[in-house]
Amino acid sequence: MPHRFKPEEFKRLFPLFRRAENQGLVYLDSAATSQRPECVIQAVTDFYSASNANTHRSSHRLARAATAMVERTRIASAEFLGASEASEIVFSRGTTEALNFLASSLCSSLDPGDEILLSRAEHHANLVPWQMAAERYQLKLKFLPESLIPGPNGIPQTENFLEYLSDKTRIVSLTAGSNALGFSVDVASVAAQLQSMPCCLVVDGAQLAAHQSIDVKLLGCDFFVCSAHKFYGPTGVGLLYGRRELLETLPPWQGGGEMISNVGLNASEWANIPQRFEAGTASLSSIAGLEAALNFLSECDREAMYDHEQELTQYLHSELMKIQEIELLSRPEGNLGIATFVPRGEVSATDLGHGLDEQDVAVRVGHHCAQPLIDALGKGPTLRASVLAYNTRADIDALIVGLKLALGAVASAVSNADNELAALSIEDLRAHNDWQSRYRQLLKWGSAIQSKPMIRTELNRVNGCEADTWLQRERRGEHYVFRLDSDSRVVRGLGALLLVLIQNKTEEELEHLDIEGVFSSLGLKQHLSPSRSNGFYAMVKKALSF
Ligand code: PLP
């Protein structure tokens, strides 16, 4: 009998939230990964401490127990997804691996020129594998028209779907829910329309499975993929459902142990489905944790959890809408618990994300592995707050308070830094006639570059600079804003010079800058060591490579 859902009680089942250092934590990043309840963590540890053995191979007691656990989890997974039988469930490392498998295997039997229909809203996991397969098998990628996702009311319109198909469309692969803007897609309606078409429907259910009970038969799709870590399970394991008739026609995509029935020196015979698609040793402890997650969910009132998440999503949007300094990009209708927004004005999304982190509010900043969709919005990196059943209204209130504080703090830090930079002028530097005095002045300019630990990421690293240096570029409307940090005083000075030249310019203005001319006219080319000059140009390259 499912117990009545109470968010505060539910949250207490998660050890991470009970830890002293996390008492103030506001975790709003579940679209990236959920937290795990105690029973899941325990199952992973128990597997190693009580029943660790490899599966399907050895005949001893522990191996039999491990094999039984894997096959029990397969049955539970089939129930979780509403599959007709356990053999329709393939374990993968996650959604990404499952989609790579499908792209590789489904495309291998297509003819050159055949088409795969995708949308702009896909996670990179449901885009890049198809790009790779398209190149390998000379297939064409087609995309739904821009108006379809997210559609005029924020919800993708799926009626008249057949209009988007051609007589060459063989695969349609769509997300059931956008991880970047939260909108859900009526994949059941798409499946119903595709029923008599010679193409199969792949559904990326990574977000959907975390919020709603899934019934692949009701959805009517041919393949459905999801990751356990999004629905309270461990990382390292995901599920692929495939209709039996289709799975049986698919070639394996990886070779190795356990996926064969007979191996000769020059050729082998494949095992039956689903083992045919599970080469090598799986992440067994993760499968043990997945079993615990499925049992856990089967005892939860998922409808009540969904209702609670929906209420939070509405509340989140209504509260964010009241903050003038941000622009809300997502809509609450048909939304799977995600609010996406950008700061208006001078504040950068990245700085705001770090400002929130300082208040112990965890959100995600960037393109959320959905770059084509985020790029199309033309707002640069965005902030994403995502909820799951353990979140409460108090979490949303804390986000709003934190956001207001962070907006104020970041805006004043930005304006201080900008004021310092704005006070610098190339002519002042030029006015120092002798090189030594000009160089000393340039070193002083370095103080305009304040330490920014948050931009010290591998992505922002300037390669080719002797000292550790990071440069972040962010688009704000038509203009580009740069942030720089370096361990070297000289590089900070040179960086300040570069920022004076490039800060707040449009792409066109940047293209027409004569940075090299300024560099030489100031005598830098002549007087600086080659390694310093190279460092300067490495920063230029990092800043201006579009
Ligand atoms: N598809 C969607 C919609 C997602 O949200 C994600 C992860 O965020 C993925 C695919 C990839 O999932 P994973 O990284 O677990 O393979």
Side-chain angles (χ1 to χ4, degrees), residues 31-32 94-97 99 123 125 175 177-179 204 206-207 227 229-230:
T95 305
T96 304
E97 188 178 73
L99 287 165
H123 187 282
T175 184
S178 161
N179 65 308
D204 172 356
Q207 293 297 328
S227 302
H229 71 96
K230 307 270 190 203

Side-chain angles (χ1 to χ4, degrees), residues 323-340:
I323 304 182
Q324 300 293 317
E325 295 91 339
I326 62 161
E327 184 183 354
L328 192 53
L329 304 172
S330 57
R331 290 163 180 251
E333 299 87 12
N335 184 313
L336 294 174
I338 287 175
T340 308

Side-chain angles (χ1 to χ4, degrees), residues 155-319:
I155 302 172
Q157 310 299 294
T158 47
E159 57 268 15
N160 308 325
F161 196 84
L162 293 186
E163 284 175 15
Y164 310 119
L165 264 55
S166 83
D167 58 358
K168 288 191 173 293
T169 312
R170 294 290 168 266
I171 298 167
V172 176
S173 189
L174 292 180
T175 184
S178 161
N179 65 308
L181 291 177
F183 58 78
S184 49
V185 178
D186 187 356
V187 282
S189 147
V190 175
Q193 295 171 70
L194 293 182
Q195 226 170 26
S196 57
M197 304 305 290
C199 67
C200 64
L201 175 63
V202 177
V203 171
D204 172 356
Q207 293 297 328
L208 189 71
H211 301 280
Q212 288 182 14
S213 300
I214 306 295
D215 187 328
V216 287
K217 287 199 288 301
L218 279 183
L219 285 180
C221 56
D222 299 302
F223 298 97
F224 184 95
V225 292
C226 56
S227 302
H229 71 96
K230 307 270 190 203
F231 55 82
Y232 310 105
T235 50
V237 63
L239 299 176
L240 181 152
Y241 154 82
R243 268 203 301 124
R244 172 177 258 284
E245 313 84 271
L246 290 172
L247 280 183
E248 276 176 341
T249 63
L250 284 188
W253 77 302
Q254 288 180 334
E258 294 310 306
M259 49 74 68
I260 32 70
S261 62
N262 189 35
V263 177
L265 276 184
N266 290 310
S268 302
E269 285 162 28
W270 315 137
N272 289 332
I273 65 162
Q275 274 78 21
R276 185 189 303 172
F277 308 115
E278 294 176 358
T281 303
S283 178
L284 300 173
S285 59
S286 300
I287 296 181
L290 168 62
E291 181 182 34
L294 296 175
N295 289 340
F296 171 76
L297 281 174
S298 72
E299 286 174 9
C300 290
D301 183 346
R302 292 205 74 190
E303 258 180 57
M305 284 159 75
Y306 178 69
D307 290 346
H308 168 63
E309 289 163 357
Q310 283 298 295
E311 202 188 303
L312 287 182
T313 309
Q314 298 288 333
Y315 184 54
L316 178 58
H317 279 80
S318 70
E319 290 304 295

